[in-house]
Amino acid sequence: MTEEPSKLPRLTLARQIRDSLVGRIVSGQVRPGERLVETRLAATYGTSQAPVREALRELEAMRLVETQPRRGTFVRPFVQETLRESYVVRAALEETATRLALLAGTVPVESLRADVEAMRDAAERGDSEAATRASVSFHRHIVEAAHNELLKLTWEGLQIEARTSVTMVATEVDPHDVVRDHAELLAAIEGGDLETACRQARDHQWHYADLPHDAHGRMRDSATG
């Protein structure tokens, strides 16, 4: 590997190693196809192989690495590209799901309120994993309310939980921002504002696509600066 991170404190080592590797993989610092060797990582992070092994299992669940029998663990190809592309596709699917659910009057508003409250509670506790679970639950409720099986299957096929977890870790998303974004979408849904709700559902996902422009063709500040 190229640049080696400094050794980590012993508290929650497996989680810290996982988060460090997520950032390095998504940024391209650890290249696609590169082998992640437990002994080397243990030496790099100044720990035993046990927390490294646990971190690699979590990375595999997040679809960032794959373990090949008798060969080892390797970084999956096209991680950055597929992560960006998945959010563009997800934006279109969730905009459509929001429109269908609102037009049919099938949005489970009480469930969405409970999800936002769960996000708020997680943000106050600084629990990004709980915030991620509540966020996924919020969007799944809308997708299921659309009552379109093909849309739902396509959405589930994007590996929503894994990619949301990767995004939360790699971009260091503030859970309070997650609460605000979902509360705004919920307010539009409760107000029956179809076009605003659809736009927010789309823009919320497009934001994470890391493209130089937003869903309306406007250049982003980070892209122009």
Side-chain angles (χ1 to χ4, degrees):
M1 297 181 189
T2 50
E3 301 175 26
E4 292 191 353
S6 57
K7 292 183 179 180
L8 299 171
R10 296 197 63 80
L11 181 63
T12 63
L13 271 172
R15 183 59 44 81
Q16 291 186 67
I17 292 169
R18 183 204 71 176
D19 291 356
S20 174
L21 288 171
V22 166
R24 298 174 73 197
I25 290 170
V26 173
S27 68
Q29 188 178 344
V30 180
R31 297 178 300 278
E34 186 166 341
R35 185 183 179 195
L36 300 178
V37 182
E38 284 185 16
T39 53
R40 293 178 189 168
L41 290 172
T44 296
Y45 290 106
T47 185
S48 66
Q49 288 180 238
V52 171
R53 192 173 302 118
E54 182 180 343
L56 292 179
R57 280 198 298 267
E58 292 195 32
L59 289 179
E60 187 160 25
M62 296 167 82
R63 307 290 292 173
L64 289 180
V65 304
E66 58 182 343
T67 300
Q68 300 177 10
R70 296 183 297 279
R71 292 196 61 206
T73 301
F74 298 84
V75 176
R76 284 179 173 271
F78 311 117
V79 167
Q80 294 168 295
E81 292 84 350
T82 56
L83 191 62
R84 295 187 184 112
E85 290 171 359
S86 72
Y87 276 105
V88 174
V89 174
R90 185 175 171 184
L93 292 174
E94 295 197 12
E95 176 185 3
T96 301
T98 301
R99 186 175 300 279
L100 290 173
L102 275 170
L103 289 173
T106 54
V107 180
V109 174
E110 289 302 322
S111 295
L112 298 183
R113 287 175 182 162
D115 290 331
V116 171
E117 284 306 309
M119 287 179 234
R120 185 171 287 112
D121 178 65
E124 291 302 317
R125 292 184 286 107
D127 189 341
S128 61
E129 291 198 353
T132 296
R133 289 193 297 271
S135 172
V136 172
S137 175
F138 181 98
H139 294 288
R140 178 171 281 112
H141 277 130
I142 294 176
V143 168
E144 290 176 344
H147 296 300
N148 183 305
E149 194 63 24
L150 182 57
L151 187 153
K152 179 184 174 183
L153 289 172
T154 304
W155 186 84
E156 294 285 4
L158 293 175
Q159 300 161 335
I160 301 297
E161 286 88 349
R163 289 196 168 114
T164 301
S165 296
V166 170
T167 300
M168 291 287 284
V169 172
T171 61
E172 298 181 345
V173 176
D174 185 338
H176 291 91
D177 291 339
V178 174
V179 176
R180 184 200 64 230
D181 291 346
H182 289 82
E184 290 175 355
L185 175 54
L186 175 58
I189 289 173
E190 289 183 296
D193 190 336
L194 178 64
E195 294 307 324
T196 297
C198 290
R199 185 186 71 248
Q200 289 181 348
R202 178 186 65 232
D203 290 356
H204 175 66
Q205 301 304 332
W206 196 280
H207 172 76
Y208 296 107
D210 193 27
L211 296 173
H213 51 81
D214 65 15
H216 311 286
R218 295 186 294 259
M219 294 300 291
R220 292 182 172 177
D221 293 339
S222 59
T224 57

